Amino acid sequence: MAKILVADDEQLIRKLISDCLSKDGHQILEAEDGLQALSLFRSNKDINLCILDIMMPEIDGWGVCRKIRETSGVPIMLVSARSQDFDQIMGFESGADDYVTKPFSLVVLSKRVNTLLQRGAVQTPKNPDRIEIYELNSLIVDCSAHEVRLNNKVVDFTIKEFEIIKMLAMHPGRVYSRERLVNEVWGDDFDGVARTVDSHIARIRTKLGEWGANHLITVYGTGYKFEE
């Protein structure tokens, strides 16, 4: 069971989502605007997932997403009737992990929620003798702990950012195209654009500071790689 924050100014939409996810065994917290959503998130440290409508009073979903990302890598799903590429790009650049357009199927929403929860959970390796740890100079990517450490300090990343780092760290020196990263990290059901990868890479590079500037390399016209 997960604790999920559902924020939408439309009571009917909140109820539909809450009822659906409650049937899956999840505990739901509801917010009717952006300020209430942030207040609930900050007072409940054990929230596992946030579902945010974009067009909310007080603070819109993009703003709430950015505020949450200042302190947390919790999975975030944006829900909106806005389906233009610009809106989805804004969502991913704000730090969202998924974007669902209205109207949507509750069955599909439930599946996408469970996928995000599984990706965000710290998994125990099926084979305890197999520990996936990748080291590049002072950067350590610990897959079993779902953790990135730089100079022995943990750096907080979102689910998608971690998956990108993991891919690049597994094969340092190999160039990954934007299309390959989209397919591997977001999957076949992703309906956004490759520019989303660029915004995630930019945030990763910023969080890694000088190390990121020196080792996360853009290969113009091709993609990205980690250079040892």
Side-chain angles (χ1 to χ4, degrees):
M1 182 185 74
K3 181 180 285 190
I4 300 174
L5 171 63
V6 177
D8 196 305
D9 60 328
E10 295 186 53
Q11 184 177 7
L12 177 59
I13 298 295
R14 288 202 315 273
K15 177 172 174 54
L16 286 172
I17 295 176
S18 298
D19 287 350
C20 171
L21 298 181
S22 294
K23 290 177 181 177
D24 291 340
H26 303 305
Q27 178 184 352
I28 310 300
L29 301 177
E30 295 187 28
E32 61 185 19
D33 60 52
L35 279 178
Q36 187 179 21
L38 279 176
S39 176
L40 283 172
F41 181 79
R42 289 166 176 166
S43 59
N44 291 269
K45 303 300 183 183
D46 56 344
I47 287 176
N48 304 109
L49 175 73
C50 299
I51 301 177
L52 310 174
D53 180 42
I54 288 181
M55 304 307 294
M56 290 190 293
E58 306 297 340
I59 304 176
D60 61 32
W62 294 318
V64 175
C65 187
R66 284 191 290 268
K67 286 289 186 182
I68 290 175
R69 281 289 171 259
E70 290 176 2
T71 60
S72 173
V74 66
I76 298 176
M77 176 187 291
L78 290 180
V79 178
S80 176
R82 303 168 67 114
S83 59
Q84 298 299 313
D85 284 349
F86 169 79
D87 300 302
Q88 298 191 43
I89 291 169
M90 280 285 292
F92 288 114
E93 289 184 345
S94 299
D97 298 291
D98 201 358
Y99 191 107
V100 176
T101 55
K102 299 176 183 178
F104 52 81
S105 161
L106 288 172
V107 174
V108 173
L109 180 78
S110 173
K111 294 292 185 183
R112 296 177 83 150
V113 164
N114 289 333
T115 297
L116 283 178
L117 289 171
Q118 289 168 9
R119 290 176 180 172
V122 176
Q123 302 290 332
T124 301
K126 294 180 181 179
N127 181 357
D129 296 326
R130 183 188 176 191
I131 302 174
E132 289 187 284
I133 297 179
Y134 303 99
E135 297 187 39
L136 293 88
N137 307 113
S138 52
L139 184 78
I140 298 175
V141 182
D142 187 337
C143 299
S144 60
H146 209 272
E147 187 175 84
V148 177
R149 297 188 295 276
L150 180 61
N151 296 320
N152 293 321
K153 293 182 179 179
V154 175
V155 183
D156 191 31
F157 290 100
T158 67
I159 296 171
K160 294 295 191 292
E161 290 167 356
F162 180 85
E163 291 299 322
I164 291 173
I165 292 171
K166 176 184 174 182
M167 283 192 65
L168 298 178
M170 286 173 64
H171 303 285
R174 176 186 294 182
V175 179
Y176 284 88
S177 67
R178 292 170 178 82
E179 292 74 17
R180 174 73 184 279
L181 289 171
V182 165
N183 290 336
E184 294 289 341
V185 175
W186 279 269
D188 295 334
D189 60 346
F190 178 67
D191 53 4
V193 295
R195 179 181 159 188
T196 300
V197 175
D198 298 341
S199 63
H200 278 70
I201 290 288
R203 286 202 303 273
I204 291 170
R205 190 177 279 130
T206 298
K207 291 179 181 181
L208 293 176
E210 185 178 352
W211 193 98
N214 292 331
H215 297 278
L216 180 45
I217 306 300
T218 301
V219 181
Y220 292 99
T222 305
Y224 300 97
K225 67 176 180 177
F226 269 155
E227 197 164 79
E228 292 187 89

